[in-house]
Amino acid sequence: MTHRFPAAPRRTRLYLLLPVISLMALGLSGQEAGAQTPGREPAILEIPAGARAMGLGMALQLGSSDPDLAFTHPALVQRLSGMQAGHTRFGTAATAYSLSAATDWFGGGVALSVRTLDYRGPVQGAGTRSGGLDPLLLDDGNAPGVSESAATVTWGRSLFGVALGVSGRLSTQRFDGSSVTAGTVDVGAARPLGRLQVALTARNLGRDPELNGEGLELPQEWVLGAGTYGRPLGPLDVGGAAQVTRRDDGEFIYGGGLEVGYWPIRGRTFVGRVGFRSVPEGEASPVTFGGSFWGDALVLDYAFQPVDGADGIHRISVGWR
């Protein structure tokens, strides 16, 4: 017999979304624009969704119902439910927080999410297009701090057997007394292929903002992902995920991983993960590790990515189905 983690109720109570709305208001209340900008793209737009994805080589497990998935693939929003909060520590230089929730609405699905990121380090010209957030780990002790936030609203529904979705997002960067805000849109489609869930999304579509003549490049990209979980292998449940991202600068980033779950008692599941991701530049290891405990409606996820010469990247997510 194969264990299935407890199914979430299709209709999550709307009061679960209220903390997200409150954090959106806090995250988007910025300072007055000054004379400087960070001079780099918003890293907050490229942090992978949740510790489960990080443990799978930054590939999203599309076979799950985690509300964090809507941040990358809006077409999956009809399958998502519950609430999820996350914390990530990138060495000693950066800390990120996330909160997301999803429910059904008007024949489709809706999700709200907010993310924040604070870091110190060399930011001029230090992009994240190397396939990781390695530049954030290079803290020189003297660089001014950068704060970023992103609030996203997602809606989607099915049409002719294909799930479609769209997200609207406001992202803000604050740096040395200045701030710049940009609006972007994600559009995507998804459908199951047998037991495999597949999704394709065009992300961060919109005009690059400017402040005092200095442009802020937005990381536009195409993301193709696939994932499944729950195939029986003796007493174990086995799953996997894979993802390919094409950036607008022509670079391809690949990632994927495997996960194995064991449930000694119904409703109590322990999961181990290992993943691999291409890292063209930087000191981050291409190998990631992770694990989970699923207890009835409670979900605890942890992931770790080693980094040469640094403490590594740690991510924790707590969810409620």
Side-chain angles (χ1 to χ4, degrees), residues 17 45 82-83 101 104 107 138 179 184 222 250-251 283 289 304 316:
L17 303 180
L45 301 181
M83 190 172 183
D104 54 348
L138 305 177
S179 66
T184 56
W222 286 87
E251 184 177 33
E283 303 300 325
F289 305 93
F304 173 70
I316 299 173

Side-chain angles (χ1 to χ4, degrees), residues 127-139:
T128 61
R129 306 229 170 195
S130 61
L133 293 174
D134 308 318
L136 303 185
L137 301 173
L138 305 177
D139 186 3

Side-chain angles (χ1 to χ4, degrees), residues 22 99 155 180 189 225 228 262 270 321:
S22 301
L99 183 61
W155 182 79
V180 58
T228 185
Y262 174 64
F270 299 88
R321 300 183 189 279

Side-chain angles (χ1 to χ4, degrees), residues 190-279:
R191 65 165 300 167
L193 296 178
R195 299 192 64 176
L196 191 69
Q197 181 68 47
V198 179
L200 175 65
T201 302
R203 302 191 65 232
N204 304 324
L205 306 177
R207 179 179 299 177
D208 294 341
E210 289 190 4
L211 180 60
N212 296 326
E214 184 176 355
L216 178 65
E217 183 182 4
L218 298 177
Q220 297 177 0
E221 57 191 22
W222 286 87
V223 182
L224 175 62
T228 185
Y229 181 81
R231 288 189 170 274
L233 182 63
L236 306 177
D237 283 354
V238 180
Q243 182 170 292
V244 179
T245 301
R246 184 191 185 279
R247 318 256 177 163
D248 57 2
D249 59 1
E251 184 177 33
F252 284 86
I253 302 297
Y254 307 89
L258 298 174
E259 54 185 349
V260 178
Y262 174 64
W263 52 289
I265 303 175
R266 179 173 295 274
R268 303 292 187 271
T269 303
F270 299 88
V271 184
R273 301 185 182 92
V274 61
F276 178 87
R277 190 192 194 198
S278 58
V279 183

